[in-house]
Amino acid sequence: MSEQASALKKYKKRSQMAEVWLRFRKNKAAIFGLIIFTCILLVSIFADVLVDYETKVKQQDFMNRMASPSWEHPFGTDEFGRDILGRVVHGSRLSLAVGLGSVAFSLLLGGTLGAVAGYYGGRLDNLIMRIVDIFMAIPSTIMAITIMAALGASTFNLMLAIGISFIPTYARIMRSSVIGLRNTEFVEAAKAIGAKNSTIILTEILPNCMAPILVQITMSFAFGVLNVSTLSFIGLGISPPTPEWGNMLSTAREYLRDAPHMCFFPGMAIALTILSLNLLGDGLRDALDPKLKQ
Amino acid sequence: MAETLLEVKNLKKYFKTQKGLLHAVDDVSFTVDRGKTLGVVGESGCGKSTAGRTILRLLEPTSGQVFFEGKDIFSLSPQQMRAIRKDMQIIFQDPYASLNPRKTVGEIIGMPLVLNKLIPDPRKREQRVLELMETVGLAERFINTYPHELDGGRRQRIGIARAMAMEPKFIVCDEPVSALDVSIQAQILNLLTTLQKKLGLTYIFITHDLSVVNYFSDDIAVMYLGQLVEKASSERLFEKPMHPYTQALLSAIPVPDIDHKQERILLKGELASPINPKPGCRFAPRCNYVTDKCIGKTPELKEITPGHFVACTLV
Amino acid sequence: MEKQASEKNIVLEIEDLVVNYETDGVVVHAVNGVSLRLEKGKTLALVGETGAGKTTTALSILQLIQDPPGKIRGGSITMDGDALLTFSERQMESIRGDKVSMIFQDPMTSLNPVLTVGQQIAEVIQIHQKVSKAEAEQKAREMLELVGIDGGRAGEYPHQFSGGMKQRVVIAIALACNPTLLIADEPTTALDVTIQAQVLELMKELREKYQTSMIMITHDLGIVAETCDEVSIMYAGRIVEHGTLRDIFKETRHPYTVGLFNSLPNIKRRQEMLKPIKGLMPDPSNLPTGCSFHPRCDYAQAICSTRKPAQTFLSDTHFVECLAYESNTGVTITKKEG
C-alpha cells in the first residue's frame, strides 16, 4: 500500500519547460538575447548598488560638462556634467518598469476579453471584438500621446497609455487560440466529466494558449520600452531631471555635433534592450512551436 | 423483456450553416437495453457522432427527448446535468486530440474525481487512479508522463480510464479504435468487452467499420444523412439486410479472405450533405432501385419482423 | 553490378535498402535491408502497421525522403535497368510523375487549392511530354473522363470536389503520363466505404487497361485480398514474410502475419475474444536484438533474441524470416486449435 501511494513521487515528471529549454538552448541568437536581457534586468534591479543615485546621477559638475568618455566617466558626461553611465543605469529602471507594467495591464485586460469572446462566441464575441477593432484602428503612438496629454504625465499614466495600445493584440491572439481550442475533443471530454465553463477556460484552454502569448509578451515588452522612450523624447513621458533613455536622447540631440557620445550611449541602451527582447521572442517562438515537437 | 436504459425519441439536431440548415440528426428514435451494445454505423456526415454527442447533451438538441433511466435529460438543469454525467460517459475517436497535452496521465484520469469531489483525500484519489490504470492495462510508471510521450493505444487507454473513473452505467464509444493499428485495435476492443462483462456496462458504439461493429454489438443501427434507415440485431442485419443502402454498405467491406468473392453493389454518386433536404428518401439519388414513390415522402421506419426496423418504401 | 532486368520482365528491383532518420545522435532505423522485385503488370502489397517502414520504402524509390533527417544508407534500387540511387536530382525529376508516380493518402492535401484540376493534370503532361498547352489541356480533360469525372469540370477548383472525386483527380494526375510504376500509399484510407469501393474498382480497371505495375501500401488485409497479386508483410523495417496472395492468406507462416489475421474481427466468428498480438511496435531507434519481433512473439526462444533470422524459402514464391523455419534452431511453432 505505502509503496503504491508513493507512485506519484516515484515517477518524476519530466517538465515540459525542460523540453522547451532544450530546444531553446540550440538557438545561439536567442541565448545571446537572453544573456543581454538578463544583464540589463540585473543592472536595473541593482542600480542603486552599482551606482549611487545622489552622487553619480543627480550631482552636477560644471567643470566637466560634455566630457568625452574617460576612466572616471566611462560613458562621458552630459551638459550638466552628470555621469552618463550612472544615468543610463538608473534610466533602465523606469523604462523596464513601465514596459513591464504596460504589458501586464494589457495582458490581463486584453487576454480576458479575448478569452471570453473566443469561448462564448456569438453576439458577445461580436460586441467585444468590434470595440477592440476601434482601438486597433487608432495608431498606437497617437493614442498614447492623446492619453498622456489628457491625463497628464505620470509613471502610472504612462503605463496605461502604452498598455492600451497592446490590448487589441492580446485580445486577438487570445481569441484565436481559444477558438482553436474550444472545439477540441479534450474540451468536450472535460465537459463530459462535468466541468464548469470557468474550469474549462482556466484549466483546459489557458495553459494551451501560453505559447503565442509568451512570444507576444517579449515582443510587446520591447515595443513598450521603445514607446516609453518615444514619449519621453517628445516630452510627454518622463521629464528631466529624472533619468530616462528617451529624455536623455532628447536633450542630447541638441549637442549631437559637439558631444555625440551623449546620444550614443542611451541610444545603444534602447537598441540593445529591444534587440535582446526580439531575439528572445524569436527563440521562444521556435522552441514553443508544437510543429517542431516530437 | 430486458430493461430499457436509454430511450431516444424523435431526436433532431440541426446546425445553421451558410448554405442553409444542416439536418445532422433528423428524427431519430431508438432504445438501448441495459448491458447491451448498440452499434451505430454510417459514413462521414451521416450524423452518427452528432447523435452520440447530443444524447450526452454535449450538444444542445434542436428537438426531441432522451430518457436515461426514465429521466428526460434535456429537461435537467445544468447542476442536475452535471450530476447525471457521472453515469453517462464518452470515449473519443482521436486519442491525440481528446487528451489535454499540458496534463499528465494521472491528472487526466483523476480529473473527474476532483471535479465531482468524489474522493477528496489526495492519497486515496491517487490510489483510485492507479487502480483505474491497472484496470485498463496502463503500467503504474506512466502516472507522471504526458500523453504525447505515449503511443496511440496507450493514449486510448487513458481515455477509457477517464471515462471509467466515475463508474458510469452507459458509455458512448465514438470510433474508439479507428485511429489505431490493427493489432492495437484488437487489444482495445478486448478491453472494452472485458469491462462490459465485468461491470455490466451499456454501450453505444459509433463506427464506420462494419466488421468491428458486427463483432462488438448486439444490435446495429444504420444511419444515412441524418436518418436511421435500418435497425436490427447484428446477426439479422448481416444475414438479411433489407435497406438498399445497408446492402451496398455491407457488400463494400473488403473481406480479408481470398476465396470469398462477393458480388459488390457499387453505388452511384457521392455522399451529399443534408442541407435543407427535400422530403423523400435521402438515399434515392444513389439507390439502384429508386422509383417514383421514393420522392416526395420520407419513408417511415417500419418494423418488418420483431426487432428489425427498415425505412424504405420498397419494403 | 548490372542486373538483367529483362528476365521475367522485372520492372523494379530493390536490393537490401537501408534508410535511417538521423537527428541529434538519435538514429531511427526505418528500413533495415528491404529487398523486393516487381513484375510488369503486377500489384505488390506492402502491409504493415504504423512505423513498419512501408512509406519510407516507397518514398526512397522516388528519392522523396526528406534529407535531413532521412538518409539512404545502403542498397540499390533498379528500374528498367537504371540504378535510381545514382541518379541526380535533375534525372529524378524527369522520372517522377512520368515513369513512376505516386498517390498519397490524403486527397485533401495533395492537390493545390489555387489551381484548377485541369491545370494540375495538364502541368504534369507539359513537364514530361513535348506538347502544346492546348494539347495538354485536351489530354487533361480526357484523363478526367477516364476516371469518371465529366471533362467539363476541368475548370473547377479542388474544393468544389468531394473527397472521393478529389482522389479520382489525384489518380488522373498519377496516370496522366502512363507510368510504368504506380505507388499508392493508403489511397482509400481517408474515404468512406462505399466511395472506397468505387475508387478501388476504378484503379483495378485502369491498371488492367494500361498494364501498370503497382505498389499498394495498406494496413487493410481486405483491400489486399481484393486488389493485389503479391504481398510483402513488413515489420520494423524488414519484410518478414513475402509470397503470393495464396501463400500469405492460406499458408500463413510468420507469427506476426498470423497475429495480424487474428487481430481482425471476423464476421463469422462473433462474440469471441480477439487474439491480439501482445505488446507494441518496437521503438525504431532502439530495435530489439536478434529477431525484431521476438518480444511480442508467443513462440520466442532464447536464440530469437540473439540471432537474426534469414530469408527461408518455403517455395519459389514464398519466403519467411523466422528462426522456426531454419534448421537446428530449436524454435518451433505449435499450432493452436483452429
Side-chain angles (χ1 to χ4, degrees):
Chain A
M1 272 305 189
S2 59
E3 67 190 86
Q4 256 204 357
S6 65
L8 265 177
K9 281 164 209 124
K10 203 162 77 192
Y11 306 104
K12 272 256 175 71
K13 58 172 142 184
R14 209 173 72 205
S15 142
Q16 293 189 309
M17 281 324 285
E19 279 178 43
V20 170
W21 172 241
L22 279 179
R23 280 194 298 268
F24 186 84
R25 220 171 46 179
K26 284 185 203 139
N27 188 336
K28 295 218 171 61
I31 289 293
F32 175 75
L34 183 69
I35 293 173
I36 299 290
F37 183 68
T38 316
C39 292
I40 295 171
L41 207 63
L42 287 176
V43 163
S44 80
I45 292 171
F46 297 108
D48 278 333
V49 185
L50 293 170
V51 182
D52 183 56
Y53 193 76
E54 289 301 322
T55 58
K56 286 284 196 176
V57 180
K58 271 172 78 179
Q59 204 166 65
Q60 306 182 349
D61 176 2
F62 287 95
M63 303 307 289
N64 246 333
R65 291 168 59 210
M66 294 191 272
S68 295
S70 62
W71 191 242
E72 202 188 340
H73 300 288
F75 287 5
T77 56
D78 68 2
E79 76 278 17
F80 296 114
R82 294 174 296 197
D83 181 40
I84 292 184
L85 174 64
R87 291 184 69 79
V88 167
V89 166
H90 277 269
S92 68
R93 291 196 138 180
L94 267 173
S95 300
L96 294 189
V98 174
L100 200 66
S102 61
V103 166
F105 164 72
S106 56
L107 175 63
L108 209 67
L109 203 65
T112 314
L113 284 175
V116 168
Y119 188 76
Y120 291 97
R123 252 184 227 164
L124 189 62
D125 178 22
N126 236 325
L127 182 76
I128 293 176
M129 291 324 284
R130 291 303 79 78
I131 295 174
V132 167
D133 282 347
I134 294 173
F135 277 93
M136 217 172 189
I138 307 168
S140 58
T141 314
I142 300 200
M143 168 126 75
I145 292 172
T146 319
I147 294 173
M148 287 310 287
L151 298 181
S154 80
T155 316
F156 180 77
N157 290 349
L158 198 56
M159 279 183 200
L160 206 70
I162 295 168
I164 279 183
S165 63
F166 297 150
I167 288 178
T169 328
Y170 283 106
R172 290 240 157 242
I173 292 178
M174 193 60 116
R175 176 175 174 271
S176 64
S177 314
V178 170
I179 286 181
L181 292 161
R182 183 178 64 184
N183 294 323
T184 52
E185 287 195 338
F186 66 81
V187 167
E188 221 170 358
K191 224 182 271 179
I193 54 175
K196 294 185 199 117
N197 283 336
S198 52
T199 322
I200 291 177
I201 295 183
L202 289 176
T203 71
E204 303 289 317
I205 294 182
L206 280 190
N208 286 294
C209 307
M210 283 331 288
I213 291 286
L214 218 55
V215 174
Q216 187 56 39
I217 284 176
T218 60
M219 300 292 176
S220 51
F221 191 7
F223 201 63
V225 171
L226 191 63
N227 260 348
V228 179
S229 301
T230 312
L231 289 175
S232 307
F233 185 83
I234 55 177
L236 282 168
I238 315 280
S239 32
T242 317
E244 199 283 333
W245 297 339
N247 67 35
M248 286 169 75
L249 259 185
S250 174
T251 35
R253 191 181 42 141
E254 296 166 35
Y255 309 101
L256 190 58
R257 276 167 179 255
D258 307 319
H261 66 271
M262 281 176 63
C263 268
F264 180 77
F265 290 105
M268 270 306 277
I270 297 174
L272 263 183
T273 311
I274 292 173
L275 177 72
S276 64
L277 277 167
N278 278 312
L279 290 176
L280 190 66
D282 273 346
L284 270 182
R285 189 203 312 270
D286 292 344
L288 291 166
D289 190 345
K291 271 180 235 146
L292 298 171
K293 247 185 186 177
Q294 192 56 254
Chain B
M1 267 304 268
E3 180 200 352
T4 302
L5 180 80
L6 182 87
E7 184 177 6
V8 177
K9 261 190 176 170
N10 306 99
L11 185 68
K12 288 183 188 171
K13 174 67 190 173
Y14 297 168
F15 292 103
K16 266 188 216 139
T17 68
Q18 285 176 349
K19 288 182 202 155
L21 211 51
L22 176 80
H23 293 225
V25 178
D26 207 353
D27 210 1
V28 167
S29 306
F30 57 81
T31 60
V32 190
D33 290 341
R34 194 184 286 276
K36 297 284 181 191
T37 300
L38 172 72
V40 178
V41 283
E43 297 177 279
S44 49
C46 75
K48 52 190 193 302
S49 289
T50 309
R53 282 167 166 72
T54 317
I55 289 168
L56 295 180
R57 217 175 152 186
L58 291 174
L59 294 170
E60 289 300 320
T62 304
S63 72
Q65 288 162 305
V66 170
F67 296 96
F68 180 77
E69 293 188 312
K71 273 184 288 240
D72 179 1
I73 65 158
F74 294 157
S75 66
L76 299 179
S77 70
Q79 277 82 3
Q80 289 169 312
M81 197 58 223
R82 272 202 287 279
I84 210 166
R85 286 202 188 284
K86 286 204 245 337
D87 293 332
M88 311 172 77
Q89 278 302 308
I90 179 164
I91 298 168
F92 294 93
Q93 165 177 7
D94 189 348
Y96 298 76
S98 62
L99 304 172
N100 187 340
R102 304 274 169 200
K103 285 191 168 162
T104 62
V105 173
E107 286 165 357
I108 292 171
I109 300 176
M111 190 163 141
L113 306 172
V114 178
L115 282 177
N116 296 289
K117 302 185 180 72
L118 293 180
I119 307 173
D121 177 37
R123 278 180 64 113
K124 280 191 187 144
R125 191 162 62 222
E126 190 194 313
Q127 264 183 28
R128 171 79 180 130
V129 169
L130 287 170
E131 251 173 61
L132 284 162
M133 287 174 67
E134 203 188 321
T135 319
V136 299
L138 274 173
E140 189 185 289
R141 65 173 190 280
F142 294 122
I143 192 161
N144 267 336
T145 50
Y146 289 92
H148 68 89
E149 298 173 67
L150 303 175
D151 60 279
R154 290 217 178 92
R155 289 186 217 190
Q156 197 54 290
R157 287 174 196 270
I158 304 172
I160 295 173
R162 171 175 59 191
M164 302 303 300
M166 298 187 290
E167 299 169 17
K169 296 171 184 160
F170 165 68
I171 300 182
V172 172
C173 309
D174 187 5
E175 306 247 19
V177 296
S178 316
L180 306 176
D181 271 320
V182 196
S183 65
I184 309 301
Q185 186 173 323
Q187 295 174 356
I188 299 293
L189 286 175
N190 277 351
L191 171 64
L192 289 172
T193 319
T194 317
L195 290 174
Q196 179 169 42
K197 282 191 189 136
K198 210 163 83 185
L199 306 166
L201 292 169
T202 309
Y203 290 141
I204 285 188
F205 195 91
I206 299 169
T207 181
H208 67 277
D209 186 336
L210 284 142
S211 38
V212 169
V213 84
N214 175 50
Y215 163 77
F216 205 79
S217 320
D218 301 290
D219 289 313
I220 297 178
V222 182
M223 287 185 72
Y224 189 78
L225 296 188
Q227 291 174 328
L228 197 64
V229 294
E230 186 160 6
K231 187 193 171 209
S233 71
S234 304
E235 291 98 4
R236 170 90 188 168
L237 193 89
F238 272 76
E239 249 164 53
K240 257 186 144 5
M242 298 301 288
H243 197 283
Y245 176 66
T246 316
Q247 290 168 357
L249 198 60
L250 290 180
S251 83
I253 321 170
V255 183
D257 182 354
I258 51 173
D259 294 330
H260 173 100
K261 286 282 173 229
Q262 70 178 14
E263 234 358 81
R264 173 158 296 163
I265 306 166
L266 278 182
L267 290 177
K268 308 173 274 194
E270 299 264 330
L271 286 159
S273 67
I275 293 174
N276 295 336
K278 291 181 190 72
C281 176
R282 287 184 193 169
F283 184 60
R286 298 180 73 195
C287 185
N288 295 326
Y289 310 101
V290 64
T291 65
D292 292 344
K293 276 195 285 179
C294 302
I295 296 151
K297 188 169 166 283
T298 307
E300 271 169 45
L301 202 64
K302 286 175 296 211
E303 188 163 15
I304 50 162
T305 55
H308 192 165
F309 299 85
V310 185
C312 177
T313 32
L314 302 172
V315 183
Chain C
M1 199 174 71
E2 273 297 301
K3 280 265 164 189
Q4 283 187 320
S6 56
E7 64 158 333
K8 274 185 88 186
N9 229 339
I10 301 289
V11 170
L12 174 80
E13 180 155 18
I14 297 181
E15 200 85 48
D16 224 7
L17 181 71
V18 178
V19 186
N20 291 344
Y21 292 99
E22 298 166 6
T23 39
D24 306 327
V26 181
V27 180
V28 172
H29 302 277
V31 177
N32 307 308
V34 160
S35 303
L36 54 86
R37 27 170 57 192
L38 181 63
E39 284 170 47
K40 185 161 179 54
K42 295 275 180 180
T43 297
L44 170 74
L46 273 186
V47 181
E49 298 178 274
T50 316
K54 300 166 291 182
T55 305
T56 306
T57 306
L59 290 176
S60 343
I61 300 172
L62 286 168
Q63 287 188 38
L64 282 177
I65 293 179
Q66 236 180 35
D67 177 16
K71 293 262 188 299
I72 297 179
R73 285 293 181 211
S76 67
I77 299 175
T78 317
M79 205 186 148
D80 286 347
D82 297 328
L84 291 189
L85 291 184
T86 63
F87 271 30
S88 66
E89 180 61 23
R90 263 303 253 302
Q91 285 170 301
M92 279 317 294
E93 273 169 15
S94 69
I95 282 185
R96 291 180 199 139
D98 187 28
K99 276 172 92 174
V100 187
S101 46
M102 185 143 181
I103 300 174
F104 292 93
Q105 175 172 351
D106 190 355
M108 319 300 159
T109 53
S110 48
L111 291 173
N112 186 340
V114 297
L115 293 179
T116 67
V117 297
Q119 284 171 333
Q120 297 188 50
I121 303 173
E123 192 186 1
V124 189
I125 300 170
Q126 272 187 296
I127 290 173
H128 296 293
Q129 295 171 2
K130 286 198 181 82
V131 292
S132 69
K133 202 172 169 211
E135 280 172 308
E137 276 169 5
Q138 177 55 33
K139 180 87 195 296
R141 275 193 292 278
E142 283 166 25
M143 288 310 298
L144 277 182
E145 299 274 356
L146 193 70
V147 296
I149 299 174
D150 179 26
R153 296 188 69 184
E156 289 181 26
Y157 289 89
H159 70 263
Q160 290 167 291
F161 290 80
S162 65
M165 285 292 173
K166 273 189 209 140
Q167 198 61 306
R168 282 167 193 263
V169 173
V170 174
I171 293 173
I173 294 175
L175 293 178
C177 293
N178 197 5
T180 333
L181 174 65
L182 181 63
I183 303 171
D185 189 357
E186 308 250 4
T188 55
T189 309
L191 306 177
D192 279 310
V193 206
T194 56
I195 309 300
Q196 166 175 295
Q198 293 170 347
V199 171
L200 287 178
E201 194 65 35
L202 171 77
M203 288 176 70
K204 211 166 164 180
E205 266 171 37
L206 293 176
R207 235 177 43 236
E208 276 160 18
K209 200 163 156 188
Y210 293 103
Q211 280 292 300
T212 314
S213 309
M214 182 160 96
I215 294 179
M216 173 80 128
I217 298 172
T218 182
H219 63 271
D220 188 332
L221 288 164
I223 293 177
V224 174
E226 284 182 18
T227 56
C228 302
D229 305 303
E230 286 178 50
V231 189
S232 290
I233 307 284
M234 283 193 80
Y235 186 81
R238 286 193 73 84
I239 295 178
V240 294
E241 185 166 9
H242 171 90
T244 60
L245 208 51
R246 180 150 293 273
D247 291 335
I248 299 294
F249 280 74
K250 292 291 168 187
E251 308 283 324
T252 319
R253 284 293 176 266
H254 197 283
Y256 175 66
T257 320
V258 175
L260 272 188
F261 278 103
N262 283 341
S263 301
L264 297 176
N266 191 319
I267 292 191
K268 282 166 204 135
R269 276 180 292 142
R270 289 191 59 233
Q271 303 296 355
E272 201 176 291
M273 282 300 244
L274 299 168
K275 285 178 246 132
I277 307 168
K278 62 184 182 197
L280 303 164
M281 283 292 275
D283 174 359
S285 62
N286 184 19
L287 288 174
T289 53
C291 170
S292 302
F293 186 62
H294 83 266
R296 302 178 71 186
C297 184
D298 287 334
Y299 314 103
Q301 304 279 335
I303 189 169
C304 295
S305 60
T306 54
R307 187 165 140 191
K308 278 215 182 299
Q311 284 186 0
T312 311
F313 278 86
L314 305 170
S315 72
D316 282 353
T317 52
H318 191 181
F319 76 74
V320 61
E321 280 193 355
C322 175
L323 289 176
Y325 300 97
E326 289 178 37
S327 46
N328 301 324
T329 55
V331 185
T332 46
I333 291 177
T334 40
K335 280 260 156 121
K336 283 182 187 168
E337 31 70 59

